[in-house]
Amino acid sequence: MLDPRLLRAFVAIADSGSFTAAADRLHMTQSTMSQQIARLEEAVGRPLVDRGARPVRLTVTGERLLGHARRILTLQTEALTLVAETSGTTSVRIGMPDDIATPEMARAFAAFTRRHKEARLDVTTGLRSDLTRRYRSGELDIVVLKEDTPSPDSWASFVEPIAWFTASDAPSERSDPVALVTFPPGGLYRDAMFERLEREHRRWYVAFTSASLRNVLMAVEAGLGLSLLPIDATKGWRVEQIADIGPEPPVVASLYAWERTGIVGELAHEVLDILERHFLRP
C-alpha cells in the first residue's frame, strides 16, 4: 500500500521541481520532505527523483508513478468528502394507509427534506395490522393507523365516516350471494364487511382482493362487487353509496410517534397538521 502522505510529497516535488518549494507548500521541513520521498522510493523499490538535476526531475519510474499518484490522491479526497457528507444519513421511518399518502403529504415531506438535508424518509404504505406490528416493534418512527378505537398513546385521532359502495352503473338488483371487493386479511374494513353481512344473514363471497385502495376503488367502479370504504376516498370515482345497507360506525385515523422532539417530532407535528386539514376541513 502506498501511503497517501508520501504520494502527496512526491506530487508536490513533481509540481514545484524543488524539495524546498515542495516543503514550503506542505508546511514541513526539507529534511522531512527528503525522508518521505526516501520512504516512498523504498516502498516501490526504485528511485523516483533525480536529486542531482536542477530543477529536480523525476526518473522514468517517477514519471510512470505520477499519474497514478494524482488519481490516488483525488480518490482519497473524494472518499473523505463522501463520508463527511451528512445528507440522507438519518432515516425517519413512516407508515400510513395509501389514502393518507396524498400529494399534500408528499409536498410536506419534500419541504422537510429541504430543511433537513440529513433526513432520509422511508415511507411504507400498507394495512393496519402490518403497520401496527411494525410500529409497536420499533420498525417505524411515525405511523398513521385506521382503527376502531385509538390507543392511549396516540397523538390525535380523527373520525372518518365509512359507507358501502357499488358501481354507479351497477344493476339495481343485488346478486345472491353478494360479491365483495376487499382488502387482504388484516385490512380494517374486511372483517367489518363480513360481520355486517353475517348479521343480516346475507350470503357473500370475495370476488376481488387488493392491498391498494386505488385498486379496490377501480374494482368497485368496474362492477366487480360491493365494498366498505371511507366516504372521502370515493370522491371522483364512479361509485355510489348503497341505500339498502344501513350506516356503519365510523373508524378513526390515529397518529402515533415515538418522539415529540428532534426531527422525528418535527415531522410528526407536520403530519398532524395535514391530518387536521384533511379531516377537519368544512
Side-chain angles (χ1 to χ4, degrees):
M1 298 292 291
L2 300 179
D3 189 330
R5 294 173 298 176
L6 307 183
L7 292 176
R8 191 169 290 107
F10 171 67
V11 170
I13 288 174
D15 290 343
S16 65
S18 165
F19 276 78
T20 302
D24 289 341
R25 178 182 299 180
L26 298 182
H27 307 290
M28 64 178 63
T29 65
Q30 184 172 340
S31 63
T32 301
M33 177 68 67
S34 297
Q35 290 171 12
Q36 292 198 348
I37 296 303
R39 288 172 56 195
L40 184 59
E41 289 176 328
E42 182 180 355
V44 300
R46 294 188 180 184
L48 299 173
V49 177
D50 182 356
R51 291 167 172 77
R54 292 293 180 272
V56 172
R57 291 197 302 266
L58 302 184
T59 65
V60 172
T61 301
E63 290 175 345
R64 290 173 178 170
L65 177 62
L66 181 60
H68 293 283
R70 294 189 193 279
R71 288 199 291 275
I72 290 170
L73 293 174
T74 298
L75 287 172
Q76 184 197 41
T77 300
E78 291 175 355
L80 292 174
T81 301
L82 180 65
V83 297
E85 175 58 58
T86 60
S87 296
T89 55
T90 302
S91 174
V92 182
R93 302 159 302 174
I94 308 158
M96 57 183 58
D98 59 356
D99 61 314
I100 299 298
T102 60
E104 183 182 10
M105 191 72 73
R107 288 191 293 271
F109 289 163
F112 182 83
T113 57
R114 285 194 294 270
R115 293 196 309 274
H116 296 279
K117 296 294 187 183
E118 75 277 18
R120 183 186 76 246
L121 305 186
D122 299 326
V123 180
T124 300
T125 59
L127 300 177
R128 174 193 57 171
S129 57
D130 183 57
L131 294 178
T132 301
R133 176 189 60 79
R134 295 185 62 183
Y135 177 73
R136 294 303 176 188
S137 66
E139 295 179 37
L140 297 172
D141 302 302
I142 301 169
V143 71
V144 179
L145 298 175
K146 301 284 190 73
E147 50 193 358
D148 297 312
T149 305
S151 296
D153 60 335
S154 68
W155 283 35
S157 295
F158 303 91
V159 173
E160 182 172 53
I162 58 176
W164 287 82
F165 286 87
T166 187
S168 297
D169 57 356
S172 56
E173 185 174 342
R174 200 84 63 229
S175 64
D176 184 20
V178 177
L180 299 179
V181 176
T182 75
F183 293 97
L188 177 61
Y189 314 115
R190 180 185 175 98
D191 291 342
M193 293 169 65
F194 299 165
E195 291 170 6
R196 178 61 182 269
L197 294 179
E198 292 287 350
R199 286 199 309 269
E200 297 189 359
H201 305 291
R202 301 194 188 201
R203 298 193 307 156
W204 56 268
Y205 70 99
V206 175
F208 182 91
T209 298
S210 176
S212 164
L213 176 62
R214 178 179 176 81
N215 288 344
V216 167
L217 283 163
M218 285 194 296
V220 174
E221 184 181 74
L224 280 166
L226 317 183
S227 194
L228 183 59
L229 296 166
I231 294 175
D232 190 67
T234 63
K235 293 177 180 177
W237 293 86
R238 295 192 303 276
V239 298
E240 60 183 30
Q241 291 190 39
I242 300 171
D244 63 343
I245 300 181
E248 290 284 342
V251 298
V252 294
S254 303
L255 172 67
Y256 298 86
W258 289 113
E259 300 176 26
R260 290 187 176 268
T261 59
I263 63 172
V264 170
E266 180 182 338
L267 183 57
H269 280 98
E270 294 198 17
V271 172
L272 178 58
D273 289 343
I274 293 173
L275 293 177
E276 288 176 343
R277 290 195 294 272
H278 178 79
F279 288 106
L280 302 181
R281 63 175 178 262

